Amino acid sequence: MVILFAVQLSYAGDYMWPMKITPKLSSQFGDYRSGHWHAGIDITTRGKQGYKVYAVDYGYVYRIKTSFWGYGKALYLKLNDGRYAVYGHLARFDHDIEDYVRNKQVESRKYYQDLFFTPGQFPVKKGDYIALSGQSGAGAPHLHLEVRDKNNILLNPLRDIYSYNDSKPPMLEYLALKRFNDVGLGNYHEVEFLTVSGNGNDLIVPDTISAYGRMALSLSGYDPNGGYNYGLYAIDMTLNGVEIFAYESNHLDYASGNQIDYVRDHALKARCDEYFGVQNDNDKHVFYKLHIQPHDTQLFYDGAGHPSGIIFADSLDDGVNKLEITIRDVNDNSTRVSLYLKKAGLDTPEIESMHVHNDSLTIKSPRIDEDHYVEIQYRRNEVSPYKTIPASFDLFGGLTGIRLQPDAGGYRLRLIDSDLEYSEWLEFNPENKAEKVTAYADYLDLVIYRDEQILANQKPLDSFRTLPLPGGYVKTLIPLPVKNGYFAIDLKEDDGCNTFYKFNSGGYAYSPDSTVKIKISDSNLYDPVVMQITNPTIENGNYVFEVLPSDILFKSPAAIEVDYARLGINSSKASLYFYWVPKNKWVYIGGDKAGAIEAKTGGGGKFGIMADINGPYIGAVKPGHRSSTSDRTPYLSCKIEDQLSGIKRETQLEMTIDGIWVPAYYDIDTKEYGYQVRNNLRKSSHTLRITATDNQGNKTVKISTFTIR
């Protein structure tokens, strides 16, 4: 399907389309990218480079930036209406600009340039040729186009400037409900993926939701069109007809782009990736939080702030409350899902005992009787909706006939009386086979032996509400024993202890053997957190450790340090790496600093201490060594790859011809490093020298001597 564009008159001017080809978009404004928002629209060029690119309006070339990464070759126009137009991933600039930039590169011996111009240097008229489309930087051939206002705030080009035909409504993938305690929105203790039914764009959650405590929702959805999937342009949520949350992706601020995993639901996406495998199409599989958090500074809420979107059960009306969520694309095609909530008015069941016999479960409780209907549900895993299973009463008041489900990920039950009043859900796993502790920002969720004395807060276990489980285990919640600092829980089944650090403000966290430490400052924290660092252990010949929980996020990168001398690592080539799950690869983050490895981390996950002793690989050079050619303006090239620490700066690659530095370009996708000779070389012998240095400082040099005949 061809997407047709028609230029619309906006309040800032009548912009032309930047290329004379039938437009088709591969990405839209505000789509999810790793670490930032997509700041414009991507116009696919059908796998080809070299389409002429034009000025969308009158103005002048304000800035030029050249890099191997990011936008590659980028051109910034300052328009007469005060806005800026940004073009990315270009193959080359207009001849005069190209010559100017190349001279600056040669003069400084640096490919990377960030140049600014005055209005009289390179003025443009609307429709002037300014560049050729390409694929510099990241990605397949396409043109990236941004529009910014005079304050450098990003504007959605599809809202006020351009439009396109689209009649397909957005699609809803998952809808999840979280219930959480008072400290921190990440401190949820229940996550429920809801069953959604219906056809087309009018959906419903069929089960009435028991409402208690504080609740927040997240959803995964996308907008399909023309063979591509885009992010959601807008979401609205109403409670009993009153709007409680809304966002529209019309404006973005570069300064807060690093909040993307805080604003989107990083933890839920990671949870789905764990069960279903990593989903690489982020525009399709990203989760949207339907509430505003305390430190969320995005511009798409139209002035609203925290706690918009959070549902406080105590403030709900008596009876059934209707919640409606509408997801919209930029053309206002929409899909709606309806939910129904009711305050939990019945007391939560108190369980006396659970017994498993073969594949059946029996539960005894003084609050479960024939005057109440007991609803029991199970789910296969943490990202599957709950399903109801049958149960019945025996002559002694026990709940029987509960058939355990194969590979169930957990169970829950609630009471319902004749007036259709509900209790809270009681979650449990009757097939628990080990002690475990999960630390939240204000309490510990424990599964331990019934007779174990957990004195983390110097109180016996029977001081707390407990849920008996089969096999002598009990499940309980106890308050966190510290407000800020270190504490440990010693479980019988552990060889050691579970060591935790609670941060309301700054401090240090250590691995139990003290070889790893992280410095936390107030500026690192979105919310109070509880974290752990595991001891480094050998994995595939390298030391590996984890910062838990793996989905923890820091507001700004926190300093992490490894004392590798204590681990017996003597190599000066040892550095710190982070395991990037979506790409299934180790990423270099830090090097040797006076006996310790220091780096910055933006959150939790898996880290490795690895030694890179090999320089980058340089493949066959063209023209080849001792070869001859009649082409006096040959294309000089080779492949360059590094298997571990990698290359991250333009200055780590260098090409010279007869000792003269040339501005060669490195394609980070194809790994080709090349330069097109512009002026005729002499008919004689020439020496091509290529140098590549990785992040660890390992260097490789390759020389080719060839003859032009």
Side-chain angles (χ1 to χ4, degrees):
M1 182 181 74
V2 176
I3 304 176
L4 299 177
F5 275 75
V7 176
Q8 291 182 330
L9 185 65
S10 72
Y11 69 87
D14 186 5
Y15 293 0
M16 71 171 285
W17 188 244
M19 291 187 292
K20 293 179 180 178
I21 61 174
T22 303
K24 189 172 185 178
L25 300 186
S26 56
S27 293
Q28 290 191 15
F29 182 83
D31 286 351
Y32 181 95
R33 295 292 181 268
S34 179
H36 64 93
W37 311 102
H38 189 246
I41 54 175
D42 284 350
I43 307 162
T44 177
T45 54
R46 304 170 183 82
K48 298 178 181 179
Q49 302 186 60
Y51 288 98
K52 285 189 175 182
V53 177
Y54 302 96
V56 297
D57 208 347
Y58 294 87
Y60 70 96
V61 176
Y62 164 76
R63 183 183 185 188
I64 292 289
K65 196 170 183 180
T66 55
S67 173
F68 296 159
W69 289 272
Y71 290 174
K73 283 190 168 186
L75 183 149
Y76 298 65
L77 294 182
K78 186 169 186 179
L79 305 176
N80 288 351
D81 63 12
R83 290 178 172 182
Y84 298 87
V86 182
Y87 304 77
H89 311 297
L90 302 170
R92 60 170 295 141
F93 307 112
D94 160 75
H95 298 293
D96 292 342
I97 301 172
E98 184 76 17
D99 288 343
Y100 182 95
V101 173
R102 184 181 183 279
N103 289 337
K104 288 292 185 182
Q105 290 174 326
V106 172
E107 179 184 319
S108 63
R109 293 176 63 94
K110 292 180 180 179
Y111 182 88
Y112 176 85
Q113 297 291 317
D114 192 3
L115 308 172
F116 291 83
F117 304 95
T118 59
Q121 285 181 274
F122 296 106
V124 297
K125 298 177 183 177
K126 180 177 177 179
D128 278 355
Y129 159 68
I130 55 174
L132 294 177
S133 69
Q135 62 177 48
S136 59
H142 71 284
L143 176 67
H144 175 86
L145 177 67
E146 291 177 16
V147 180
R148 307 180 185 181
D149 72 10
K150 63 180 181 180
N151 298 313
N152 212 37
I153 297 299
L154 296 156
L155 309 177
N156 189 340
L158 300 182
R159 195 58 183 174
D160 297 319
I161 302 169
Y162 305 110
S163 66
Y164 72 102
N165 295 331
D166 177 13
S167 59
K168 291 185 177 180
M171 305 291 291
L172 177 70
E173 278 193 303
Y174 303 106
L175 181 60
L177 173 70
K178 296 179 177 180
R179 297 182 174 91
F180 53 93
N181 281 10
D182 291 337
V183 180
L185 292 174
N187 194 33
Y188 51 85
H189 58 284
E190 294 179 31
V191 182
E192 176 184 354
F193 278 70
L194 301 172
T195 298
V196 179
S197 60
N199 296 313
N201 59 349
D202 197 0
L203 308 173
I204 189 171
V205 174
D207 293 335
T208 302
I209 295 169
S210 290
Y212 47 92
R214 297 195 295 171
M215 299 178 293
L217 289 140
S218 293
L219 65 81
S220 171
Y222 61 97
D223 180 28
N225 197 307
Y228 293 95
N229 297 313
Y230 311 123
L232 300 176
Y233 163 70
I235 302 177
D236 307 288
M237 185 164 66
T238 63
L239 178 62
N240 297 326
V242 178
E243 183 178 276
I244 62 171
F245 172 82
Y247 100 91
E248 278 190 350
S249 187
N250 291 324
H251 305 86
L252 291 171
D253 186 351
Y254 264 114
S256 59
N258 61 352
Q259 286 192 337
I260 189 165
D261 284 324
Y262 175 67
V263 175
R264 298 292 177 251
D265 206 319
H266 168 72
L268 278 191
K269 185 182 186 308
R271 187 173 295 198
C272 284
D273 286 348
E274 179 182 351
Y275 284 97
F276 301 136
V278 174
Q279 307 295 314
N280 291 319
D281 187 347
N282 283 323
D283 297 331
K284 185 175 180 180
H285 297 286
V286 68
F287 276 80
Y288 297 75
K289 292 177 181 176
L290 307 188
H291 58 276
I292 305 176
Q293 301 170 103
H295 301 280
D296 186 343
T297 59
Q298 301 305 311
L299 301 178
F300 39 58
Y301 302 119
D302 195 25
H306 176 72
S308 294
I310 297 173
I311 301 166
F312 296 83
D314 289 344
S315 66
L316 292 176
D317 295 340
D318 293 334
V320 176
N321 297 260
K322 185 177 183 180
L323 192 69
E324 282 193 342
I325 302 166
T326 303
I327 57 178
R328 294 186 285 119
D329 65 20
V330 73
N331 278 9
D332 289 329
N333 301 304
S334 64
T335 294
R336 181 181 62 223
V337 57
S338 300
L339 304 81
Y340 297 91
L341 314 174
K342 191 171 185 181
K343 281 191 289 190
L346 301 181
D347 291 336
T348 305
E350 292 184 3
I351 305 300
E352 290 181 348
S353 64
M354 290 187 189
H355 298 283
V356 174
H357 181 69
N358 294 328
D359 60 353
S360 294
L361 173 68
T362 299
I363 298 174
K364 290 191 177 294
S365 168
R367 291 188 180 171
I368 298 179
D369 55 46
E370 293 181 344
D371 293 331
H372 294 90
Y373 169 72
V374 182
E375 186 174 14
I376 297 184
Q377 299 182 336
Y378 85 101
R379 60 182 175 185
R380 296 192 62 83
N381 52 57
E382 292 181 344
V383 296
S384 297
Y386 279 100
K387 296 181 179 179
T388 300
I389 55 179
S392 58
F393 291 98
D394 63 16
L395 295 176
F396 305 100
L399 194 63
T400 62
I402 307 169
R403 190 172 184 82
L404 295 177
Q405 304 298 311
D407 302 319
Y411 295 79
R412 66 179 186 175
L413 65 82
R414 68 176 174 182
L415 300 182
I416 305 174
D417 67 12
S418 57
D419 296 322
L420 295 181
E421 295 293 332
Y422 300 99
S423 73
E424 297 182 12
W425 286 105
L426 186 65
E427 293 186 331
F428 58 92
N429 188 346
E431 298 181 283
N432 177 79
K433 294 183 172 58
E435 292 185 314
K436 65 178 182 179
V437 53
T438 304
Y440 296 93
D442 57 358
Y443 63 91
L444 298 172
D445 185 347
L446 296 168
V447 175
I448 56 176
Y449 279 120
R450 188 189 310 274
D451 59 352
E452 188 156 358
Q453 296 298 309
I454 294 293
L455 299 177
N457 57 355
Q458 304 303 311
K459 291 184 179 180
L461 187 61
D462 57 13
S463 301
F464 308 101
R465 178 179 168 186
T466 60
L467 171 66
L469 300 172
Y473 292 100
V474 295
K475 176 181 171 65
T476 187
L477 300 178
I478 66 172
L480 215 60
V482 298
K483 292 184 177 180
N484 202 78
Y486 159 89
F487 66 96
I489 301 296
D490 191 3
L491 302 179
K492 286 184 177 180
E493 294 180 346
D494 282 355
D495 293 332
C497 66
N498 286 276
T499 303
F500 298 91
Y501 291 85
K502 165 70 180 295
F503 293 106
N504 278 303
S505 57
Y508 287 90
Y510 295 85
S511 61
D513 64 2
S514 297
T515 56
V516 182
K517 71 175 180 180
I518 295 180
K519 181 182 179 180
I520 303 296
S521 64
D522 293 356
S523 64
N524 297 138
L525 298 175
Y526 280 118
D527 296 300
V529 299
V530 176
M531 61 183 292
Q532 294 175 278
I533 307 174
T534 67
N535 282 333
T537 58
I538 298 293
E539 184 177 304
N540 297 323
N542 298 300
Y543 278 104
V544 172
F545 63 93
E546 291 187 86
V547 176
L548 301 171
S550 60
D551 58 19
I552 189 174
L553 291 173
F554 295 130
K555 189 176 181 181
S556 61
I560 183 170
E561 183 179 304
V562 178
D563 185 347
Y564 65 75
R566 295 185 62 177
L567 295 173
I569 300 173
N570 298 315
S571 171
S572 62
K573 299 296 185 179
S575 292
L576 193 61
Y577 293 76
F578 174 73
Y579 183 66
W580 190 11
V581 174
K583 298 295 184 181
N584 189 29
K585 63 181 291 187
W586 289 99
V587 178
Y588 171 91
I589 61 170
D592 178 19
K593 299 288 184 182
I597 300 170
E598 292 185 352
K600 297 280 189 177
T601 177
K606 188 175 181 179
F607 297 81
I609 308 157
M610 303 178 183
D612 184 357
I613 60 175
N614 298 312
Y617 164 78
I618 300 180
V621 177
K622 298 178 182 179
H625 187 53
R626 296 179 178 175
S627 67
S628 66
T629 178
S630 60
D631 184 358
R632 298 185 66 184
T633 57
Y635 180 63
L636 314 175
S637 68
C638 65
K639 294 274 187 169
I640 298 179
E641 293 187 76
D642 190 76
Q643 297 301 314
L644 190 55
S645 62
I647 298 165
K648 67 178 181 180
R649 294 184 301 275
E650 287 81 3
T651 53
Q652 291 172 242
L653 299 179
E654 182 179 82
M655 179 185 290
T656 63
I657 179 72
D658 299 331
I660 300 173
W661 184 93
V662 294
Y665 171 72
Y666 183 58
D667 190 312
I668 62 173
D669 294 315
T670 66
K671 310 303 181 186
E672 183 176 85
Y673 186 49
Y675 175 72
Q676 178 63 58
V677 175
R678 299 179 58 178
N679 300 317
N680 286 340
L681 297 177
R682 298 186 312 274
K683 292 183 177 182
S684 62
S685 177
H686 299 275
T687 300
L688 173 62
R689 179 186 176 95
I690 296 170
T691 305
T693 306
D694 64 21
N695 290 324
Q696 193 63 64
N698 302 302
K699 181 183 291 187
T700 302
V701 178
K702 201 156 190 177
I703 297 174
S704 173
T705 301
F706 64 94
T707 301
I708 294 181
R709 58 182 185 274

